[in-house]
Amino acid sequence: DGMNVLFIVVDDLRPVLGCYGDKLVKSPNIDQLASQSVVFSNAYAQQAVCAPSRVSFLTGRRPDTTRLYDFYSYWRVHAGNYSTMPQYFKENGYMTLSVGKVFHPGVSSNYTDDYPYSWSLPPFHPSTEKYENDKTCRGKDGKLYANLVCPVDVSEMPSGTLPDIQSTEEAIRLLNVMKTNNRKFFLAVGYHKPHIPLRYPQEFLKLYPLENITLAPDPWVPEKLPSVAYNPWTDIRQRDDVQALNVSFPYGPLPDDFQRQIRQSYYAAVSYLDVQVGLLLNALDNVGLSNSTIVVFTADHGWSLGEHGEWAKYSNFDVATRVPLMFYVPGMTTSSVSQGERIFPYLDPFSHVSDLVPHGQSEKVVELVSLFSTLAELAGLQVPAVCPETSFHVALCTEGESIVRYLNASENVEEEKNECGDTYRCFNEEPVAFSQYPRPADTPQWNSDKPKLKDIRIMGYSMRTVRYRYTLWVQFNPNNFSANFEDIHAGELYIVETDPNQDYNIYNNTSHGYFL
């Protein structure tokens, strides 16, 4: 009870980490955190795009309740005055601090990252964030471009640094201030990489020789994929290096050699991220707070690396919705830690060979919308009530059930019974993760990836169990936020055991009742 919380959220990070079984990536610091944590291998975001996902898990409400499917409304004004997870901790005596990208900046968090409701101090944003999309990538001709693939010499960057490096430095400074002032804290640290552009210190390329980089296992558009389900990756098409390839819209494909370069740079950006996480956790050790701080590590959604001929997020596939999720809880996921004991010594990805495995692993299907209630319970706070079916008028409730019961390291996490007390998440006693994605039309358009609310005509509602992913694309009215399940535009059904990459849609040749 009364533990601090360090909440680390990463932009666009799919679970390409050693602790998730990836053999290529170098992620020793995140793997070290996993070795002291319970790691969830089936965790899913509620919408695979930044602002809707973050507002969803920070309020504990689903996108249909926040009414945010794009970037252009603030839930307190347009949906309901919902309390947030950091606000709840603040109201319970915590110093709440935000560093980097936690809320999505802009309209969707009232241009203030929801300060002062959610945070005790104004949120910190790195001063070099504003250069993210500038021409800072040196091409082979020596000129500067705004590229997708963008390894850089950090000393040549504005201010001689990068945003995530600045965020780490500020988070470490705040840890020292909290220690000095003996304040109980909830510190959220949002890292930007591996979000595009893939701009990271060029030395990380050495970890991933191009000859070791393969294409996606399924780099083609599946034959029975409904056109409404496809995301045409318009954001990467706007980068200078992709534009120069003159790829046809909407299905491409990108040349194989460039696909390998994107995948190489994504991995390099993950190792750069791993260094930041390692420095941050090492600082937690340095201030002597590793034995009294819960650490959560997750991402807002995944990112497709060529699977199904797709790039970026913006879909309901696992590659877009599945995220890493791990909880380090002193005394629960590990035996109690003595004061001053080093739990997280910094590990150099250039020299350290990681052989660490997760302390505990759960295959249970869980959702990011459960973070609010889970962290409240772990910190010994009263767990907010489950929301009624319609909750626009209810300031404090959550639509995600606490998953603390899966964390007890003294039990075999795998053999716990399926427990389901929350009708939102459970179907015939089996845990379910729900995700959704809006589309403006049945076929790929220039605004298919990020349609504005007024342009949404179809909503893809997707449910993921351990055994299958089932998606219905139905008519949606943006004026009254209503979905019409009588008007089905397309369906998808994938059996995970035989089709783990979700390439063979059997929706049209299956008796659905068998599964549902």
Side-chain angles (χ1 to χ4, degrees), residues 99-269:
V99 172
K101 185 176 174 183
V102 180
F103 278 101
H104 191 87
V107 181
S108 63
S109 57
N110 203 32
Y111 299 98
T112 62
D113 292 11
D114 198 45
Y115 175 79
Y117 297 103
S118 287
W119 310 109
S120 306
L121 297 174
F124 170 86
H125 284 279
S127 61
T128 60
E129 207 170 58
K130 57 181 174 286
Y131 306 116
E132 266 299 282
N133 293 307
D134 288 5
K135 298 189 178 216
T136 56
C137 320
R138 201 165 292 287
K140 290 191 172 74
D141 58 5
K143 293 180 184 167
L144 292 175
Y145 295 92
N147 285 343
L148 170 63
V149 173
C150 186
V152 297
D153 178 343
V154 177
S155 67
E156 291 182 357
M157 293 299 99
S159 305
T161 189
L162 291 170
D164 285 345
I165 296 171
Q166 291 184 292
S167 290
T168 301
E169 291 166 352
E170 174 64 9
I172 291 171
R173 187 188 75 80
L174 288 170
L175 284 176
N176 281 283
V177 171
M178 291 301 104
K179 172 67 172 179
T180 304
N181 295 341
N182 198 22
R183 286 296 304 269
K184 196 163 60 170
F185 63 83
F186 178 106
L187 171 59
V189 182
Y191 285 115
H192 203 244
K193 294 304 123 184
H195 191 288
I196 70 165
L198 297 169
R199 191 168 75 112
Y200 55 86
Q202 60 197 13
E203 58 267 26
F204 285 94
L205 272 178
K206 293 180 198 147
L207 294 171
Y208 303 102
L210 204 51
E211 60 267 23
N212 294 352
I213 306 295
T214 61
L215 296 178
D218 52 349
W220 58 84
V221 179
E223 185 186 341
K224 292 186 176 175
L225 179 70
S227 56
V228 69
Y230 184 80
N231 75 279
W233 34 281
T234 44
D235 55 355
I236 77 164
R237 293 172 190 273
Q238 290 154 16
R239 315 301 305 184
D240 290 347
D241 49 353
V242 179
Q243 276 193 340
L245 298 170
N246 203 21
V247 178
S248 65
F249 184 89
Y251 293 110
L254 289 169
D256 286 3
D257 62 334
F258 193 75
Q259 291 196 36
R260 285 192 178 88
Q261 285 178 49
I262 298 174
R263 289 169 67 89
Q264 176 193 38
S265 272
Y266 188 91
Y267 274 83

Side-chain angles (χ1 to χ4, degrees), residues 417-439:
K417 299 196 307 292
N418 277 329
E419 291 177 54
C420 272
D422 177 357
T423 52
Y424 284 105
R425 294 198 56 257
C426 286
F427 206 92
N428 291 343
E429 298 304 308
E430 183 172 4
V432 176
F434 292 102
S435 304
Q436 61 192 95
Y437 211 86
R439 294 281 188 242

Side-chain angles (χ1 to χ4, degrees), residues 11-16 48 50 148-149 194-198 231 233 235-236 239 254 259 262-263 265-266 299-307 310-315 317-324:
D11 227 347
D12 293 24
L13 177 66
R14 62 192 261 167
V16 290
C50 306
L148 170 63
V149 173
H195 191 288
I196 70 165
L198 297 169
N231 75 279
W233 34 281
D235 55 355
I236 77 164
R239 315 301 305 184
L254 289 169
Q259 291 196 36
I262 298 174
R263 289 169 67 89
S265 272
Y266 188 91
D300 54 357
H301 43 70
W303 211 79
S304 183
L305 284 165
E307 294 87 0
E310 294 178 306
W311 302 88
K313 48 257 188 181
Y314 316 124
S315 81
F317 284 120
D318 277 17
V319 284
T321 55
R322 183 170 168 246
V323 293

Side-chain angles (χ1 to χ4, degrees), residues 473-508:
W473 297 89
V474 302
Q475 186 266 336
F476 185 84
N477 182 341
N479 299 314
N480 61 7
F481 302 92
S482 66
N484 179 7
F485 282 84
E486 304 296 308
D487 185 358
I488 296 171
H489 288 233
E492 298 170 83
L493 180 60
Y494 305 99
I495 309 304
V496 174
E497 189 178 10
T498 54
D499 182 20
N501 298 325
Q502 297 160 18
D503 293 318
Y504 303 100
N505 177 16
I506 60 168
Y507 174 80
N508 285 330

